[in-house]
């Protein structure tokens, strides 16, 4: 007798797959069922039931408690990486569709960047963007990169332009520009005349640096710590222009990124290359992994470098700099 063909295998997909996945993603992102329920405007029992149903269907434990937070298991992390882009993409579909059919004639774009990036890197990009898309409301928020990434995670901004060293797993950083470190001194300073500069000589003079939270301070401190050289911070002050002014007034010396140097600085400041000891700085674009970029955000990034993230998606991202 001829054997009967087996019926096609049926998978227990529920009629609404999006709800339990959305509940899982929000719980993972926020760390609690109650906060996920508030974000999704449903009851806590509803979230709990959806999580239980998802775990039963997949046959694995997805979340476990760590202190007061719920954190994903190894299997949960894998599901979150797969599901979050899908959930965000579907949730953003209506707005994205309206933007696409409306083109770039309207809407808004919010970009976070620190003051030096806004001052030295973005003017040309902003000018081009405004001339090409005059009806888009562009907002530049002055924030150091660490604060900018917090704004990015909360969807308060669309992207961040800045400098990174350690890139969190939920973000993508694509460096575009590279700037060498420069020692800045008054014109008549001894280090400006020194024939062969050494790190020990630099350590003898008081430094003017950005605040400790900023990357520059941490990088300078790391160099001296690794060399086991004591050094003195004469002044902490924000903003490269202020630092340059105070150095010119003889209040101290500084290690800056060449991004901040202008042609007329040579009239009041002496510069020496210090790449032998201090690392270069990269500046680029930071976005959330899996986040669907708006047409406005894509257009802005294209002006910085075309196909920036498309190209990196095909490469090993490796370790990035901040």
């Amino acid at each position: 007798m001829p054997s009967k063909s087996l019926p096609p295998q049926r998978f227990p997909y529920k009629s609404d797959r999006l709800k339990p996945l959305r509940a899982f993603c929000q719980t993972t992102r926020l760390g609690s069922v109650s906060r996920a329920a508030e974000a999704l405007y449903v009851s806590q029992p509803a979230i709990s039931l959806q999580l239980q149903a998802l775990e039963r269907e997949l046959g694995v434990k997805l979340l476990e408690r760590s202190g007061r937070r719920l954190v994903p298991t190894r299997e949960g992390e894998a599901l979150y990486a797969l599901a979050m882009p899908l959930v965000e993409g579907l949730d953003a579909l209506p707005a994205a569709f309206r933007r696409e059919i409306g083109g770039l004639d309207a809407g808004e774009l919010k970009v976070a960047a620190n003051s030096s990036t806004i001052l030295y890197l973005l003017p040309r990009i902003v000018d081009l963007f405004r001339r090409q898309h005059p009806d888009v409301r562009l907002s530049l928020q002055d924030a150091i990169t660490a604060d900018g990434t917090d704004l990015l995670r909360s969807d308060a901004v669309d992207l961040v332009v800045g400098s990174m060293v350690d890139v969190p797993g939920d973000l993508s950083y694509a460096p575009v520009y590279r700037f060498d470190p420069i020692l800045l001194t008054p014109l008549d300073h001894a280090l400006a005349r020194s024939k062969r500069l050494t790190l020990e000589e630099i350590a003898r003079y008081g430094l003017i640096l950005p605040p400790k939270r900023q990357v520059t301070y941490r990088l300078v401190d790391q160099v001296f710590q690794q060399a086991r050289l004591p050094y003195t911070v004469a002044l902490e002050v924000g903003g490269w222009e202020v630092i340059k002014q105070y150095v010119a007034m003889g209040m101290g010396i500084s290690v800056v990124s060449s991004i901040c140097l202008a042609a007329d600085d040579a009239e009041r400041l002496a510069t020496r290359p210090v790449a032998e000891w201090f690392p270069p700085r990269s500046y680029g674009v930071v976005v959330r992994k899996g986040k669907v970029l708006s047409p406005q955000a894509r257009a802005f990034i294209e002006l910085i470098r075309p196909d920036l993230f498309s190209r990196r998606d095909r490469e090993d991202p490796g370790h990035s700099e901040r």
Side-chain angles (χ1 to χ4, degrees), residues 14 17 20-25 49-60 62 79:
K14 294 178 173 55
R17 171 50 61 86
L21 286 177
R22 186 188 285 118
F24 166 72
C25 288
L49 288 173
Q50 289 166 1
L51 294 175
Q52 292 168 12
L54 193 59
E55 288 184 331
R56 279 199 308 272
E57 181 179 348
L58 297 177
V60 293
L62 298 173
L79 179 62

Side-chain angles (χ1 to χ4, degrees), residues 16-176:
D16 188 351
R17 171 50 61 86
L18 185 58
K19 284 184 178 179
L21 286 177
R22 186 188 285 118
F24 166 72
C25 288
Q26 289 291 351
T27 304
T28 301
R29 186 173 73 87
L30 298 172
S32 79
V33 170
S34 60
R35 293 180 66 186
E38 291 175 4
L40 295 174
Y41 300 100
V42 298
S43 67
Q44 293 185 36
I47 296 292
S48 297
L49 288 173
Q50 289 166 1
L51 294 175
Q52 292 168 12
L54 193 59
E55 288 184 331
R56 279 199 308 272
E57 181 179 348
L58 297 177
V60 293
K61 188 173 181 60
L62 298 173
L63 295 164
E64 59 188 5
R65 189 161 294 281
S66 176
R68 300 181 63 181
R69 287 182 59 86
L70 284 174
V71 297
T73 61
R74 184 169 64 93
E75 293 81 3
E77 289 178 352
L79 179 62
Y80 183 77
L82 292 170
M84 193 62 176
L86 300 175
V87 171
E88 286 193 332
L90 286 171
D91 287 344
L93 183 61
F97 175 72
R98 288 193 296 270
R99 287 194 298 265
E100 287 292 342
I101 62 174
L104 285 167
D105 297 330
E108 63 179 348
L109 173 65
K110 297 179 181 179
V111 179
N114 62 28
S115 57
S116 62
T117 304
I118 293 173
L119 182 60
Y120 305 115
L121 281 184
L122 291 185
R124 182 184 65 84
I125 303 299
V126 169
D127 181 53
L128 279 173
F129 186 85
R130 291 187 70 250
R131 284 194 279 115
Q132 292 181 13
H133 313 292
D135 294 325
V136 176
R137 186 172 62 187
L138 176 61
S139 172
L140 296 178
Q141 184 153 343
D142 188 348
I144 64 172
T145 305
D147 292 339
T149 54
D150 289 339
L151 294 172
L152 189 63
R153 290 187 176 100
S154 63
D155 290 326
V157 298
D158 299 289
L159 57 94
V160 176
V161 182
S163 181
M164 300 194 80
V165 173
D166 301 311
V167 184
D170 61 329
L171 301 178
S172 289
Y173 172 58
V176 179

Side-chain angles (χ1 to χ4, degrees), residues 199 202-203 207-233 236 254-256 277-279 281:
L199 192 60
I202 297 172
L207 291 167
I208 302 175
L209 295 177
K212 288 183 179 180
R213 284 194 67 214
Q214 298 195 23
V215 176
T216 299
Y217 189 109
R218 302 205 318 265
L219 291 177
V220 170
D221 176 74
Q222 185 179 51
V223 168
F224 285 115
Q225 294 288 349
Q226 289 177 347
R228 300 182 183 275
L229 283 174
Y231 70 101
T232 302
V233 177
E236 287 184 35
S254 188
V255 176
V256 304
W277 308 287
F278 298 93
R281 292 285 298 280

